[in-house]
Amino acid sequence: MEAKIQELTDKIYKEGVEKGEEKAKEIVSGAEKKAESIIKEAKEQAEKISADARKEAAELKTKTESEIKLSGAQAVSAIKNQIVNVVTAKVINEGTTKSLSDAATIKEFISVVVSNWKAGGEAPKLEALLPSAKQDELARAFEAGASAALKTEFTKDIKGGFKIGPADGSFKISLTDADFQEFFKEYLRPRTRAYLFGE
């Protein structure tokens, strides 16, 4: 009887150990599969993060290069414009200021304007505004042969040239050095640019 109990105990023990070992193997196998899945998922995430980082870096590089090229083009264009402005200003300002500061030239211009005003009939009483910096010189020039229909006044607002119009102030024709400079600048800039830069 004792032998049977021992045999039964051994059998139960053996079955328990076998079941425990099977369960342990299942647990280990499940853990290994789960670990593989976690590792695989972690690798996939790492690859995605790396790919996203490479893509962002490439986009940033492209954007930076584009911005640098644009900034460079804008800087070159601004420098070219400054060069054109300096050259144009030098050429125009010296010529127009010299011409429109000469008393004889101003008197001649005004005489032409007054005579053309008369061509359409009786000229109204005209008023010419002249640069006060040239008052003495211009006053002497206009003393000889001045038109009775022309009144001259001097102002600091005009550096060279003149403004002329009816004495009632209804309008004025402006032929100052600043007017001529602005007029010529518009025509010289494209040619100056083409001459300087071949554009």
Side-chain angles (χ1 to χ4, degrees), residues 132-170:
S132 59
K134 296 276 182 179
Q135 185 168 351
D136 294 338
E137 194 178 340
L138 289 168
R140 282 194 303 274
F142 278 94
E143 278 175 9
S147 169
L150 180 68
K151 177 185 170 191
T152 56
E153 287 193 19
F154 296 90
T155 177
K156 291 179 180 178
D157 295 336
I158 299 173
K159 304 297 180 213
F162 61 94
K163 290 184 180 183
I164 191 167
D168 64 8
S170 56

Side-chain angles (χ1 to χ4, degrees), residues 13-127:
Y13 174 77
K14 190 175 177 185
E15 284 177 6
V17 169
E18 285 175 1
K19 283 185 180 178
E21 285 175 355
E22 282 177 23
K23 190 68 175 167
K25 282 179 185 175
E26 282 178 24
I27 291 171
V28 168
S29 176
E32 285 174 351
K33 284 179 183 175
K34 193 166 185 178
E36 284 174 15
S37 173
I38 290 170
I39 290 169
K40 184 181 176 187
E41 192 177 316
K43 281 182 181 177
E44 286 172 359
Q45 284 181 350
E47 284 172 11
K48 185 179 181 304
I49 290 168
S50 181
D52 289 347
R54 281 193 297 273
K55 184 180 174 186
E56 283 180 26
E59 286 174 1
L60 180 62
K61 182 184 174 198
T62 303
K63 284 180 185 175
T64 303
E65 286 173 353
S66 296
E67 286 176 13
I68 289 170
K69 284 179 186 174
L70 180 63
S71 296
Q74 288 173 338
V76 168
S77 179
I79 290 168
K80 283 182 179 179
N81 282 336
Q82 286 177 354
I83 291 169
V84 168
N85 289 340
V86 167
V87 171
T88 304
K90 178 108 172 117
V91 171
I92 292 173
N93 293 354
E94 284 180 7
T96 54
T97 301
K98 187 176 179 184
S99 297
L100 294 173
S101 294
D102 179 55
T105 305
I106 292 174
K107 183 181 178 188
E108 190 177 330
F109 278 153
I110 290 176
S111 297
V112 170
V113 171
V114 170
S115 66
N116 282 314
W117 225 308
K118 286 181 184 176
E122 187 62 34
K125 181 85 173 156
L126 298 174
E127 179 180 70

Side-chain angles (χ1 to χ4, degrees), residues 167-186:
D168 64 8
S170 56
F171 66 91
K172 289 256 189 282
I173 296 173
S174 182
L175 297 168
T176 65
D177 55 351
D179 296 328
F180 276 100
Q181 287 166 11
E182 285 306 312
F183 175 75
F184 285 120
K185 276 180 189 174
E186 293 307 311

